[in-house]
Amino acid sequence: MDAINAQLPLSTNSDDENLVNGDDPMPDLPQNPTSPASDSSSSDSDSEVDESDQKLQLQTLQSELSSNPSNYDAHVQYIKLLRKVGDIDNLRKAREAMSEMFPLTPSMWQEWAKDEASISTGPEDVAAIERLYERGVFDYLSVSLWCDYLNFVQEYDPMVRDRATSRIKKARDLFERALTAAGLHFTEAEKLWEAYREFEKSIYQSIDETDTQAKEKQVQLIRSIFHRQLSLPLSNMNSTLEAYKAWEMEVKQGCILDGKSNDSDGVPSQVASAYQRALDMYNARVQFEEQISKQDLTDTERLHQYIIYLKFEQSAGDPARVQVLFERAVADFPVVVDLWLDYTRYMDKTLKVSNIVRNVYSRATRNCPWIGDLWVQYLLALERAHASEGEIASVFEKSVLCSFSTLYEYLDLFLTRIDGLRRRISSAVELEDVLGYSLIKETFQRASDYLSPHLKNSEDLVRLYAYWARLEINLGKDLVAARGVWESLLKISGSLLAAWEGYIAMEIESNHINNARSIYKRCYSKRFPGSGSEDICHSWLRFEREFGSLEDFDHAARKVNPRLEELKSYKLQMDESENPAKPSEHGKRKLGGDAPDVESPAKRLKDAAHGPKKVNEKGKAQLQSLDGQTGNSKAKAKKPDDTSDQQMKDFVQEKGKVYNDQCTAFVSNLNLKATYEHLRDFFQDVGGVVAIRILHDKFTGKSRGLAYVDFSDDAHLNAAVAKNKQLLLGKKISIARSDPKKGGGHTTDRASGGKTSESVSSAKPRKANEQPPAERKDGGNKVELKGKNTFAVPRNVRALGWTADKPRTAEQEDEKPKTNDEFRKLYFKG
């Protein structure tokens, strides 16, 4: 039905209706020409051409409607053309076909009824035309259509026309129905009230003068119609008042005058007060009526004015007036979904008259059949009204044939149908049809067949099957069938943990512990998304702790523990593979891939700035190899001793791009679960992100809660720093500019895989009188670090009983850290 929405007009007030609706009568069937002979040849030629074109157009439209019955415009054009050629039988079929697909506009129904009345007005034909009018007034509120209906009955029903007593009641009932439907229409209801009065006046005129009792009764009836109309806020209220006073004078039934109001002279005081209240209501609404009646408004603007008007009427608290205004709105805008949704909700909440609410839902689903929520609420309204199973089933079958925008609308529809069947079967209310559980089972199966291919591995499908299995036990009393339901789901969504958990929960609730244990044995080794594999293992252990014996618990532990170790190892490997320190992940240049001990260029420059360093033959070869890999343009351009800060940055490369530390943000206090995607989304509004590096512990592989984010320029970096102390995954993160030139600041040695190091500002050349950085003063000790095989005592560790005031001996002053060989000699000595 998606095409229906595209074909239906937004408003029925458009000029498109002129395609089929007009005042021109339907042409008669072709007759023999009576024109002069001189004109006969040209007329025949033109007629043949027209007939040929019309036949071709009819064939084209027939073909289009056969392939696409929901083409609204094609229906309209086809009816117009058939009416033009006078093909009565096919015209009638075309109108019926369109009526089955769409609600017809009031003018379409008027045209149809008038065409049928022009053909024949026999007793059977009159009844058929009356049925057409009944269908028309059901689709939309239309005062003009009601007036045509009333006039037709008065004109073509012979007994009503002759004012037969037995048929007068029929006409009066029809008038009362018209007033119930449209008697509060602000601008057009006056036509119905006037027609009703004129009908009763004609009856008054037909009463014999000698029958004073009948005449007096008729006068009271006419007077009551006047009084009812004068108490309503309708257009031309003053004219109605003048007509009432003139009529009273005519029948010489004068009343006591009320001098309080000039407009109400000659009417009873209670009528005058009712009229004044109606006049106040009229003045409160006339501005809204003027807004929705403006000719220069667009459809959107007029719809907006209707919504404002509706809010006013709802605040006034008169449900009948609200309903009439809703009817006027949906008649002008029949395919605006929000109007129908608001209308049906209001009816459910306020009126709660089952027949009226059901009719509104029926029309809402005809106008907007692609809205699943309307069908769901329609089924619930039918259930509240205690509709028959046949009626509910018919509505449900219509709904499943519609095209909804999402699969979840179909799921909601099936579940609503099943809910209703379950309630009706479970309740003690006697039904006209005996409902069995097989009907619920059949509905579940239809839902599964339709939804399973589309909702595979979704929680919603699990919910559907869990509901099914529960009803198999509670209503069907068949545990085997319930297990079959879960087994069917496992074939469809076996990789979904919730499916296994639901199956296990059912067995536990049924106290079938061994069956639950066997399901655990089937699924504990399966791989589920996220932490599902670990969860099912822990769940098995909890299950055995609560329900099993010690042997059962030990058996589960022997199965589960190796599986958990395997999952832990696998997860660690995955974290390492996703670790940004891996060169291939960020496209970093491999520096000495075959020689892992080769220093990065940045560290080599740092060592050179700290002073000369002994390099063995192996180190020389590695450095020569490094120079060959990095190229002569930078590594050989200047000596390390002459390295400047800019040259330092030139060595910090990634994918051949030079990163500017001044455009890097240092992020701390991160949630340990934060990933690259989280940071990328966090800085998405800032933009300019070049790279993201999250620091990980090199032993555990877990996040350290720190990260560096490179930006393309300073403007983006400033915008990122402005987001300092904002929440990310529930923690306020700290964002600062990463500036390696500031002492003690953090920077990142990118060539070393993103590990935090001291600021590169320490790489500045030493002055002549500056102490080498390898020598440190610590409590009078001079410790010189020589090579990687030297043991050194941590500077913060002191022996028990040590005090700062205790003098050191000469031996202690000369004591130096021992090498490995020296410790071995001490250890093996003696």
Side-chain angles (χ1 to χ4, degrees), residues 679-741:
L679 284 171
R680 181 191 60 198
D681 295 339
F682 180 78
F683 290 109
Q684 186 175 10
D685 58 334
V686 173
V689 176
V690 176
I692 299 174
R693 294 172 303 288
I694 299 177
L695 275 63
H696 295 76
D697 188 278
K698 69 178 183 179
F699 296 105
T700 64
K702 295 182 179 179
S703 171
R704 296 171 58 189
L706 306 173
Y708 286 89
V709 182
D710 293 326
F711 293 91
S712 58
D713 53 43
D714 196 69
H716 290 97
L717 175 59
N718 291 334
V721 173
K723 300 188 69 173
N724 184 37
K725 300 302 181 183
Q726 292 190 17
L727 288 176
L728 175 61
L729 297 181
K731 296 188 69 176
K732 287 185 178 181
I733 64 174
S734 298
I735 308 172
R737 178 189 293 271
S738 176
D739 191 354
K741 293 183 179 181

Side-chain angles (χ1 to χ4, degrees), residues 814-830:
D814 296 336
E815 185 179 356
K816 297 179 180 179
K818 294 179 175 57
T819 63
N820 291 343
D821 293 335
E822 290 172 338
F823 270 109
R824 291 190 187 94
K825 290 178 182 179
L826 290 173
Y827 182 76
F828 292 107
K829 185 177 181 180

Side-chain angles (χ1 to χ4, degrees), residues 12-13 17 103-110 133-150 174-192 234 289 292 306 310 319-334 340 343 359-360 363-364 367:
T12 57
N13 290 333
E17 286 189 13
L104 303 186
T105 62
S107 53
M108 289 180 178
W109 287 111
Q110 288 174 297
Y133 277 117
E134 287 290 340
R135 292 165 62 184
V137 297
F138 176 81
D139 277 350
Y140 297 110
L141 175 64
S142 172
V143 172
S144 61
L145 184 59
W146 273 110
C147 289
D148 285 356
Y149 187 9
L150 293 166
L174 191 60
F175 271 113
E176 290 296 335
R177 285 181 53 204
L179 292 178
T180 301
L184 295 177
H185 195 297
F186 191 90
T187 58
E188 298 184 16
E190 177 197 8
K191 301 175 184 177
L192 293 174
L234 304 175
E289 291 290 340
I292 64 174
Y306 262 118
L310 283 166
R321 298 198 63 82
V322 175
Q323 183 186 2
V324 169
L325 188 56
F326 264 122
E327 288 291 346
R328 293 173 61 186
V330 297
D332 285 347
F333 300 95
W340 285 109
Y343 187 12
N359 290 342
V360 173
R363 292 159 50 223
N367 282 274

Side-chain angles (χ1 to χ4, degrees), residues 518-586:
S518 65
I519 300 172
Y520 272 119
K521 292 179 181 179
R522 291 169 57 187
C523 67
Y524 83 96
S525 60
K526 290 184 175 293
R527 179 169 295 174
F528 298 105
S531 61
S533 300
E534 292 89 341
D535 294 342
I536 195 65
C537 291
H538 294 304
S539 176
W540 188 7
L541 291 176
R542 287 194 301 270
F543 166 80
E544 295 296 357
R545 182 180 295 112
E546 296 174 6
F547 298 98
S549 63
L550 180 59
E551 291 77 8
D552 294 328
F553 181 81
D554 291 340
H555 176 75
R558 288 194 298 271
K559 294 289 186 180
V560 165
N561 290 335
R563 174 60 176 164
L564 289 174
E565 290 296 329
E566 177 187 351
L567 293 171
K568 182 178 180 181
S569 176
Y570 174 77
K571 186 175 181 180
L572 184 60
Q573 293 176 5
M574 293 300 295
D575 290 341
E576 290 177 353
S577 66
E578 296 176 358
N579 194 325
K582 186 174 180 180
S584 60
E585 179 145 335
H586 288 289

Side-chain angles (χ1 to χ4, degrees), residues 18-75:
N18 296 330
L19 295 174
V20 296
N21 305 320
D23 296 331
D24 297 335
M26 184 179 65
D28 296 332
L29 293 176
Q31 298 179 357
N32 294 328
T34 57
S35 59
S38 60
D39 298 332
S40 62
S41 59
S42 61
S43 299
D44 292 342
S45 176
D46 293 341
S47 177
E48 291 176 359
V49 172
D50 291 342
E51 290 180 1
S52 177
D53 291 342
Q54 291 170 356
K55 288 181 180 180
L56 181 61
Q57 293 177 23
L58 286 172
Q59 292 175 357
T60 302
L61 291 170
Q62 286 175 348
S63 177
E64 170 62 22
L65 291 174
S66 298
S67 60
N68 184 16
S70 60
N71 190 331
Y72 186 90
D73 290 336
H75 280 286

